[in-house]
Amino acid sequence: MSDLFYAMTMPGLETLAFSEIRATLPESTLVKFMRGIALFQTPELPENLLDLHTTEDVFVALAHIKGLRRGPDALRVLHSATLNADLTDAIASWRRGHHGARPRTWRVVSQMVGSYDFRRVDAGQAVTAALRKSMPHGMRPVEDDADLEVWLWLGGGDVLIGVRLSDATMRHRAYKHQHLPASLRPTAAAAMGWLSQPTPEDIVLDPLCGAGTILIERALLGPVTRELGGDIREQAVNIARRNVRAAEVDVSLKTWDARALPLGASSVTRIITNLPFGKQIGTREDNEALYTALIREFDRVLAPGGLMVSLTSEDRLWDRIIQEHGWKTQKKVVFVVLGQPASIFVSERA
Ligand SMILES: C[S@@+](CC[C@H](N)C(=O)[O-])C[C@H]1O[C@@H](n2cnc3c(N)ncnc32)[C@H](O)[C@@H]1O
């Protein structure tokens, strides 16, 4: 029998997250995409679901309710769906992912997207009330730090109730001790690595590497020949060095100006980078001058047939500048970074 699972990622990255799931577990089939969620079936239990890079949390589904009404009757539906769910199987999946440990405590976490005639807490309580009846004896509900978390996600007509198989390290990564203000979420950095169509022959450059997240995530995705990175701020390079060491990956880092890289012509095969953008770092005029200088330099160092994967919120500006410099964009993925929409461009020379 196929079990139902779902992966949560950043809204906009759902299809990408599912393509990584398919690559990791080829027998998986998609059931549905929802906002920030890929719901899928897979025939056997997937310890390696916890190794996904573009997913922030992964769940075994207890229930998928379609067409939930907005009125208070919905609370009864949530209650009975929880009561009828197969908890034994879900707890067994949780235990397999936790070296056989037995969960002693549980709690319900609820999330609500869209408007309903009841409150999020009421929905959470409907599920909690049902679980009080159906949880195995010996497991008790707690407010915080529960061993086992049941998440209730309400997103318009669709509702998912599931047992969380992942923990916080899936989302935050253990290596990331040092943060910088404009630092990218590891999941987004992994998504960029994934979009670079990685091969073991890659020589990867992040010319504006900040805390080093993109290069680290690329190295964790799969084999690579060489990785190079740098930043104009020495402090950023020091932080990147510490993160690289903690992640136990091999990246060579330097303090440099990305507008004049100390690298030979055609010396790299992939550029993967998060450009400074918007209010985050520079002004628009600064960005126009910077982007123009950057694309000239990227043009020089990227080998023929190479790919550039770049992220910016200055979508139109970057699009125009790269086109003017003879590049074409194969693919664009829009998602939300620090509250504003941003685009990942996958581009090559025209
Ligand atoms: C959006 S941040 C990159 C964040 C990075 N991807 C991370 O996850 O930490 C842009 C970075 O570009 C750097 N930067 C800005 N102008 C630069 C230049 N001319 N040369 C090199 N780095 C530059 C900034 O110091 C900043 O760390």
Side-chain angles (χ1 to χ4, degrees):
M1 193 194 86
S2 267
D3 276 315
L4 196 58
F5 295 89
Y6 54 101
M8 279 193 177
T9 187
M10 298 169 73
L13 300 183
E14 304 86 353
T15 43
L16 215 102
F18 186 65
S19 71
E20 192 192 4
I21 291 165
R22 278 295 294 269
T24 314
L25 303 152
E27 290 183 58
S28 307
T29 50
L30 179 72
V31 175
K32 190 173 182 177
F33 287 126
M34 292 162 240
R35 190 181 150 78
I37 291 176
L39 178 68
F40 62 96
Q41 284 187 308
T42 197
E44 58 192 292
L45 181 79
E47 269 82 24
N48 45 357
L49 267 186
L50 298 177
D51 296 331
L52 294 168
H53 298 88
T54 58
T55 287
E56 302 213 320
D57 275 299
V58 65
F59 300 81
V60 54
L62 291 171
H64 173 208
I65 306 164
K66 285 163 266 188
L68 187 79
R69 304 263 172 87
R70 296 186 181 276
D73 268 5
L75 297 176
R76 271 206 295 278
V77 176
L78 293 176
H79 186 271
S80 67
T82 310
L83 213 50
N84 292 328
D86 184 355
L87 264 177
T88 316
D89 252 20
I91 293 175
S93 298
W94 184 95
R95 292 188 63 190
R96 249 171 290 171
H98 289 78
H99 312 288
R102 209 174 268 286
R104 305 256 172 236
T105 54
W106 62 274
R107 71 172 184 138
V108 172
V109 174
S110 31
Q111 296 173 316
M112 198 185 228
V113 190
S115 63
Y116 295 86
D117 298 341
F118 49 86
R119 298 173 309 160
R120 183 169 59 94
V121 279
D122 299 328
Q125 271 161 14
V127 171
T128 305
L131 289 175
R132 280 183 195 279
K133 296 184 185 157
S134 58
M135 273 289 176
H137 295 298
M139 281 184 69
R140 59 188 170 84
V142 289
E143 292 292 321
D144 282 309
D145 285 334
D147 294 336
L148 187 119
E149 290 185 350
V150 175
W151 285 33
L152 163 67
W153 180 87
L154 295 126
D158 278 296
V159 176
L160 288 168
I161 305 169
V163 169
R164 188 190 189 199
L165 300 176
S166 49
D167 62 21
T169 57
M170 185 171 198
R171 171 188 294 242
H172 298 298
R173 318 293 207 248
Y175 68 78
K176 223 169 164 184
H177 301 297
Q178 303 273 339
H179 288 275
L180 282 171
S183 194
L184 202 56
R185 297 240 299 248
T187 336
M192 293 178 73
W194 191 257
L195 285 167
S196 77
Q197 302 160 28
T199 75
E201 288 75 44
D202 293 346
I203 301 172
V204 180
L205 166 68
D206 182 353
L208 307 112
C209 77
T213 324
I214 290 177
L215 292 165
I216 294 170
E217 289 297 326
R218 169 60 188 86
L220 297 176
L221 273 183
V224 51
T225 295
R226 220 175 145 212
E227 290 210 294
L228 311 162
D231 200 282
I232 203 160
R233 287 179 299 146
E234 200 175 344
Q235 181 219 6
V237 177
N238 289 335
I239 288 175
R241 275 209 182 99
R242 262 173 256 153
N243 288 337
V244 160
R245 220 174 297 133
E248 300 180 349
V249 297
D250 189 13
V251 180
S252 113
L253 292 160
K254 278 201 176 83
T255 305
W256 65 31
D257 185 340
R259 292 166 294 188
L261 293 164
L263 300 173
S266 304
S267 55
V268 304
T269 64
R270 297 285 188 276
I271 294 175
I272 315 179
T273 199
N274 175 11
L275 300 166
F277 53 79
K279 289 168 250 135
Q280 205 184 348
I281 307 256
T283 65
R284 200 191 169 96
E285 295 70 37
D286 290 345
N287 284 343
E288 168 132 31
L290 175 66
Y291 283 12
T292 306
L294 289 177
I295 196 65
R296 291 200 180 115
E297 195 56 351
F298 295 178
D299 210 26
R300 186 181 69 80
V301 298
L302 188 69
L307 268 188
M308 171 175 76
V309 179
S310 52
L311 169 69
T312 180
S313 248
E314 296 272 20
D315 184 307
R316 296 233 293 265
L317 176 68
W318 185 232
D319 208 9
R320 170 170 65 73
I321 291 175
I322 63 177
Q323 276 188 51
E324 282 170 6
H325 286 79
W327 292 68
K328 74 166 192 287
T329 296
Q330 316 178 330
K331 189 170 186 168
K332 206 155 91 171
V333 177
V334 181
F335 72 115
V336 176
V337 184
L338 303 170
Q340 54 182 329
S343 304
I344 303 174
F345 290 75
V346 182
S347 325
E348 61 196 333
R349 286 194 199 80

